[in-house]
């Protein structure tokens, strides 16, 4: 399956930048020790492959998904094989004592890359999952920053999202707050991050769901009024590596919008996907019709699809990688833009956020409204888009 073709592109996005800087990247990787946190997710695996292929001294990978970690190792051994790296994986949680023990037992790392995240907008549907989102996206970032500094790291990278620019959902807002904590930490440890769009066929994504529905011979559903930018997994790994190794302190890397990177409707991707699999999409008028006719249509070479208008909480009308108040450097790379952040933060506001989260966590039951109010107080321009409907109510 040609992923570029399905997402409406002919060329890889960062080819020129990677070719131009590959010697520098290889030189930096060869003499460095790397720790990748959240390395078994789609982006984490892509970053791990980009580091491994350049033969680092040490490459250690941490993730709570034991099964995905096994697949990461099998994938690397089956494609890239072996090199001189001390390549090891650890099925542990970066927020628990096992991770702290690993950091104490290691010889330290030059670069710590944090790819762990709760990335789904649907995670804000209840206060319990929302609190987990805050823990993973914000509190674990703070904790691993401190651990990286204590282990003598030269640089800390943590992945962000385009949804952090003028966020309308709590996932994006959590990543914007994370960026604020990164800037605060940058005074004692160089940091960088990357904002990028959807990663095609990443675990749990709508496109990944197409693969699952196809394997199970189930109908495919997608919104017909939502347009998004897409990167391939390899491009996501390349962007993170560029930011980590070549980004200056407090830089945020993002893909430049161009003729190569363009918006595409999710329903169009669904149709291209089915054509690539040898099936003709058959539009149905409802979820019920799509489910009921699957057994009839699929043997005829027609795949039932249901396309609908989006009305769920947190869906952004359009994607953006930066705001009008951010300072941009668009000349450093061909296909990568850079947001230059000053060493400016409000320690009192960040301390208030931490104390309030701790207070809310200590008082059960939790209230989503109280958490939203806290986010609003930290991000005055936060425009939370609540409809009362969530993706779990969709096929």
């Amino acid at each position: 399956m040609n992923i570029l073709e399905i997402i409406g592109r002919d060329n890889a996005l960062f080819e020129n930048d990677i070719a131009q800087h590959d010697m520098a990247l290889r030189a930096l990787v060869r003499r460095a020790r790397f720790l990748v946190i959240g390395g078994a997710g789609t982006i984490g695996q892509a970053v791990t492959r980009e580091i491994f292929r350049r033969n680092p001294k040490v490459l250690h990978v941490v993730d709570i998904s034991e099964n995905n970690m096994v697949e990461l190792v099998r994938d690397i051994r089956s494609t890239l094989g072996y090199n001189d790296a001390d390549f090891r994986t650890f099925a542990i949680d970066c927020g628990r004592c096992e991770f702290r023990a690993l950091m104490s037992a290691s010889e330290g790392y030059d670069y710590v890359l944090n790819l762990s995240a709760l990335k789904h907008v649907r995670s804000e549907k209840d206060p319990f999952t929302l609190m987990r989102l805050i823990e993973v996206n914000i509190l674990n970032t703070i904790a691993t920053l401190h651990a990286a500094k204590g282990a003598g790291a030269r640089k800390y990278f943590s992945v962000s999202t385009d949804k952090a620019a003028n966020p309308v959902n709590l996932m994006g807002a959590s990543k914007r707050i994370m960026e604020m904590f990164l800037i605060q930490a940058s005074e004692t440890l160089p940091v960088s991050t990357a904002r990028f769009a959807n990663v095609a066929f990443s675990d749990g994504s709508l496109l990944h769901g197409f693969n699952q529905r196809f394997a199970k011979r189930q109908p495919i559903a997608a919104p017909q009024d939502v347009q998004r930018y897409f990167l391939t997994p390899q491009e996501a790994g390349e962007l993170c590596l560029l930011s980590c190794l070549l980004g200056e302190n407090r830089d945020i890397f993002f893909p430049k919008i161009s003729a190569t990177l363009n918006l595409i409707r999710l329903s169009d991707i669904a149709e291209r996907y089915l054509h690539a699999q040898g099936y003709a999409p058959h539009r149905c008028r409802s979820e019920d019709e799509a489910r009921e006719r699957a057994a009839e249509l699929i043997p005829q070479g027609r795949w039932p699809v249901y396309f609908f208008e989006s009305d769920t909480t947190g869906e952004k009308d359009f994607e953006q990688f930066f705001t009008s108040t951010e300072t941009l450097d668009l000349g450093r790379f061909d296909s990568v833009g850079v947001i230059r952040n000053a060493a400016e933060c409000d320690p009192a506001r960040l301390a208030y956020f931490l104390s309030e989260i701790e207070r809310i966590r200590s008082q059960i039951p939790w209230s989503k409204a109280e958490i939203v109010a806290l986010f609003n107080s930290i991000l005055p321009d936060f425009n939370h888009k609540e409809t009362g409907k969530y993706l779990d109510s969709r096929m």
Side-chain angles (χ1 to χ4, degrees):
M1 186 172 61
N2 186 330
I3 294 180
L4 283 177
E5 184 176 292
I6 289 174
I7 61 177
R9 291 204 270 119
D10 298 320
N11 301 309
L13 196 59
F14 305 125
E15 273 183 332
N16 291 341
D17 289 313
I18 291 295
Q20 182 178 350
H21 296 282
D22 196 50
M23 287 186 63
L25 293 172
R26 289 183 181 277
L28 288 168
V29 170
R30 273 198 304 269
R31 56 177 182 260
R33 302 170 59 86
F34 291 85
L35 174 65
V36 179
I37 301 168
T42 302
I43 302 172
Q45 290 195 35
V47 172
T48 300
R49 280 192 293 269
E50 292 302 314
I51 296 171
F52 184 90
R53 73 171 72 248
R54 292 173 174 86
N55 200 21
K57 287 176 62 176
V58 172
L59 176 55
H60 292 171
V61 186
V62 167
D63 200 287
I64 60 174
S65 175
E66 182 184 28
N67 291 338
N68 281 8
M69 197 82 83
V70 170
E71 175 56 28
L72 167 65
V73 174
R74 288 172 176 164
D75 179 61
I76 285 179
R77 297 308 186 204
S78 300
T79 54
L80 302 176
Y82 301 83
N83 58 23
D84 299 327
D86 171 11
F87 173 49
R88 285 185 277 169
T89 63
F90 304 89
I92 58 178
D93 185 339
C94 69
R96 292 178 56 88
C97 63
E98 295 85 357
F99 177 78
R100 295 190 293 274
L102 169 67
M103 296 298 282
S104 298
S106 74
E107 297 178 19
Y109 301 98
D110 299 301
Y111 297 96
V112 175
L113 297 91
N114 182 9
L115 287 306
S116 66
L118 261 67
K119 65 179 183 177
H120 287 286
V121 175
R122 70 178 71 210
S123 293
E124 70 169 73
K125 65 185 182 297
D126 62 78
F128 320 108
T129 313
L130 174 55
M131 193 63 81
R132 173 66 176 160
L133 180 146
I134 292 168
E135 180 179 17
V136 172
N137 292 359
I138 301 175
L139 303 183
N140 282 0
T141 298
I142 297 169
T144 54
L145 265 165
H146 290 316
K149 181 182 176 182
R154 292 159 47 192
K155 182 75 172 292
Y156 180 93
F157 170 90
S158 187
V159 69
S160 188
T161 171
D162 61 289
K163 295 175 178 63
N166 288 327
V168 300
N169 55 61
L170 291 163
M171 190 281 287
S174 74
K175 283 296 190 177
R176 179 69 192 111
I177 294 171
M178 180 209 74
E179 291 177 357
M180 295 163 65
F181 278 104
L182 287 179
I183 291 174
Q184 182 183 47
S186 71
E187 296 181 6
T188 56
L189 174 65
V191 302
S192 65
T193 184
R195 293 177 186 168
F196 49 81
N198 299 269
V199 178
F201 298 96
S202 62
D203 284 353
S205 67
L206 182 64
L207 275 61
H208 177 258
F210 293 169
N211 281 337
Q212 302 300 306
R213 304 288 72 71
F214 188 83
K216 297 177 181 179
R217 299 176 72 82
Q218 296 170 344
I220 284 177
Q224 60 189 358
D225 59 337
V226 174
Q227 298 184 85
R228 293 291 183 257
Y229 297 106
F230 280 91
L231 301 186
T232 67
Q234 180 175 334
E235 290 169 342
E238 291 170 344
L239 184 62
C240 292
L241 188 67
L242 285 168
S243 175
C244 178
L245 296 183
L246 303 183
E248 298 176 8
N249 196 11
R250 295 180 293 276
D251 279 354
I252 301 176
F253 279 35
F254 64 90
K256 290 181 183 177
I257 298 172
S258 64
T260 303
L261 181 65
N262 46 54
L263 288 167
I264 182 169
R265 289 194 307 175
L266 298 180
S267 56
D268 290 343
I269 293 179
E271 292 187 329
R272 291 184 184 196
Y273 173 86
L274 288 172
H275 285 304
Q277 301 285 8
Y279 286 85
H282 181 94
R283 293 201 179 204
C284 298
R285 291 167 297 192
S286 67
E287 288 188 2
D288 286 340
E289 180 188 350
R291 279 188 292 265
E292 290 166 1
R293 299 196 64 189
E296 165 203 348
L297 293 169
I298 292 173
Q300 301 174 12
R302 294 182 292 163
W303 205 278
V305 298
Y306 173 59
F307 298 147
F308 55 88
E309 301 295 315
S310 176
D311 61 355
T312 52
T313 293
E315 289 296 337
K316 208 167 186 178
D317 296 331
F318 60 94
E319 289 187 308
Q320 59 187 133
F321 299 110
F322 53 85
T323 69
S324 59
T325 62
E326 292 177 313
T327 301
L328 305 183
D329 177 355
L330 300 178
R332 202 187 312 178
F333 300 95
D334 287 341
S335 299
V336 178
V338 182
I339 300 169
R340 304 299 308 276
N341 283 296
E344 298 174 354
C345 67
D346 186 341
R349 178 181 295 184
L350 297 180
Y352 172 75
F353 175 82
L354 291 178
S355 66
E356 283 297 290
I357 281 295
E358 187 60 31
R359 180 187 63 79
I360 294 171
R361 281 159 64 98
S362 67
Q363 298 176 351
I364 297 175
W366 296 329
S367 163
K368 177 181 174 180
E370 190 172 19
I371 299 173
V372 173
L374 175 59
F375 274 54
N376 283 327
S377 70
I378 301 300
L379 302 173
D381 297 329
F382 179 34
N383 182 27
H384 185 238
K385 187 176 180 180
E386 175 68 61
T387 68
K389 298 179 181 180
Y390 299 93
L391 286 170
D392 282 357
S393 63
R394 290 285 192 187
M395 186 169 69

